[in-house]
Amino acid sequence: MNTVYVGVGTNIDRDKHAQAAWDELALLGEQLRSSPVYECEPVGFDSHAFYNFVIELKTDRSLTEFSLLLRQIELKWGRLDNAHKYQDRNLDLDIVLFGDVISQSSPELPRSDIFKYPFVTQPLYDLCPEKIIPSDGRSVAQIYQQMDNLDSLQAVSLCFNQDFK
């Protein structure tokens, strides 16, 4: 079993799509845990605030299969096949970490967003502060302590219907 961390983002019908992310990921793995959900402003474009969080799960699926299934989930929930990077999202699912896999190609692992964006680093820190990032050697806590703009995140009170497998 691989422990996987999936970054979730939504700024359209946020409560509905945040719950959808949880429900869909529960079908792909087990022992799900979620970070708190954070509200934050979009990066790179002007629009409605996003909900961002990270879900940890264990799966026996391969990276290729898991990645393809995430894409299918995004499309199922209204993501356009030709969606651009900086635009509104019903549901955005990004593999942040997949076990100890290191990959320069798609998907990039560990995802470089860990080092850039508080909306990825903070939720990851909430779930696994002592986790060592493959290829980097630092813990999530060490990266978190070096981040700027962590105060730009606002925690949201949102609970998922959590059916643990």
Side-chain angles (χ1 to χ4, degrees):
M1 285 270 191
N2 284 304
T3 301
V4 182
Y5 295 87
V6 178
V8 180
T10 175
N11 76 333
I12 299 172
D13 205 355
R14 299 178 305 180
D15 290 350
K16 171 184 165 184
H17 291 111
Q19 182 65 53
W22 176 270
D23 294 343
E24 295 284 359
L25 289 173
L27 299 174
L28 302 185
E30 55 189 49
Q31 299 176 29
L32 276 70
R33 293 190 319 141
S34 177
S35 71
V37 176
Y38 293 95
E39 183 175 69
C40 43
E41 294 304 311
V43 173
F45 68 107
D46 223 6
S47 191
H48 309 288
F50 274 78
Y51 278 176
N52 289 101
F53 57 104
V54 171
I55 294 176
E56 173 191 273
L57 66 134
K58 296 193 185 315
T59 186
D60 58 2
R61 297 176 190 271
S62 71
L63 173 59
T64 301
E65 179 185 11
F66 193 81
S67 184
L68 289 171
L69 289 168
L70 291 187
R71 180 72 175 152
Q72 289 173 1
I73 292 167
E74 290 175 333
L75 294 171
K76 173 183 174 180
W77 287 95
R79 182 170 179 156
L80 300 176
D81 195 32
N82 61 349
H84 300 285
K85 181 172 177 136
Y86 299 111
Q87 70 181 69
D88 293 323
R89 294 275 189 260
N90 289 348
L91 189 55
D92 188 30
L93 302 172
D94 296 317
I95 302 171
V96 178
L97 294 166
F98 192 92
D100 289 329
V101 172
I102 298 170
S103 172
Q104 301 302 319
S105 59
S106 185
E108 168 203 28
L109 293 170
R111 191 168 179 91
S112 61
D113 292 355
I114 295 169
F115 310 103
K116 298 178 192 172
Y117 301 118
F119 62 81
V120 176
T121 312
Q122 176 71 57
L124 202 55
Y125 174 79
D126 294 332
L127 286 172
C128 58
E130 302 307 315
K131 172 97 175 125
I132 302 298
I133 302 301
S135 80
D136 183 77
R138 292 180 289 167
S139 69
V140 172
Q142 289 170 315
I143 295 165
Y144 172 84
Q145 291 163 356
Q146 297 172 349
M147 289 291 295
D148 293 327
N149 300 323
L150 288 169
D151 58 348
S152 66
L153 302 178
Q154 179 69 35
V156 175
S157 179
L158 183 66
C159 295
F160 301 110
N161 295 327
Q162 300 184 10
D163 282 332
F164 292 98
K165 288 185 175 183

